[in-house]
Amino acid sequence: MYDFVFNFHSGWRFLVLLALAVNVIYFGYALATKSKQPKRDKLVSTLFAVSVDIQITLGIILLIIVIIDGNFDAGRHFGHFMPMLLAAPVAHAYTIFGKAVKNQATVEKYQRLVGLLAPIIVLILVMGGLASLELGLFQMS
């Protein structure tokens, strides 16, 4: 069970990175061209957020398995887990911003910028979480 969840969690990381890259490219292009595609904006942002949510869920399952097996190392595992928990609301920042800000003009002006910056911040958090495991972004352990 551990091997399956571990490999799934490790492999899913690449889908998260792909969704992250698509998100950055899409919102960068959308900001540069000033095109109006709110449904597509939401779809791209949601796909990224869901991929992050799945990765975090797999990480929680893996953490539970590690604790049950007795191989828990608080420094390593919590050092990896805490940045990932911080990444969850950041991944959803596009949607949160759209619902939290009441002024529609402000939402239209800045929501795409939030969509562009959120995956960049998530990438920084992921790199910090991987640093606690002494892994690089594309290394498999």
Side-chain angles (χ1 to χ4, degrees):
M1 178 71 160
Y2 170 81
D3 289 336
F4 172 76
V5 176
F6 178 79
N7 289 327
F8 193 10
H9 179 67
S10 292
W12 190 264
R13 165 183 34 166
F14 298 110
L15 291 176
V16 171
L17 291 173
L18 177 63
L20 187 146
V22 167
N23 204 11
V24 168
I25 291 167
Y26 173 79
F27 281 109
Y29 179 78
L31 282 168
T33 62
K34 297 180 180 163
S35 64
K36 303 268 182 184
Q37 298 283 338
K39 285 186 179 180
R40 187 174 295 152
D41 293 356
K42 185 171 170 73
L43 176 66
V44 170
S45 177
T46 301
L47 287 174
F48 169 64
V50 168
S51 70
V52 171
D53 290 346
I54 291 170
Q55 181 71 346
I56 291 169
T57 303
L58 290 168
I60 291 169
I61 293 168
L62 192 58
L63 184 63
I64 291 168
I65 292 171
V66 166
I67 290 170
I68 290 171
D69 284 347
N71 296 326
F72 181 70
D73 176 7
R76 267 177 70 94
H77 292 109
F78 279 139
H80 180 65
F81 184 64
M82 295 313 291
M84 300 309 103
L85 283 183
L86 295 173
V90 175
H92 289 273
Y94 178 87
T95 305
I96 292 169
F97 182 80
K99 291 179 180 178
V101 176
K102 303 298 181 207
N103 184 346
Q104 190 60 32
T106 304
V107 170
E108 289 176 8
K109 186 174 181 181
Y110 293 110
Q111 193 170 25
R112 283 188 163 172
L113 182 61
V114 171
L116 176 66
L117 294 178
I120 295 169
I121 294 168
V122 167
L123 180 62
I124 292 167
L125 289 168
V126 166
M127 290 170 54
L130 288 172
S132 72
L133 299 177
E134 298 174 357
L135 290 174
L137 197 55
F138 298 105
Q139 287 178 314
M140 300 288 280
S141 62

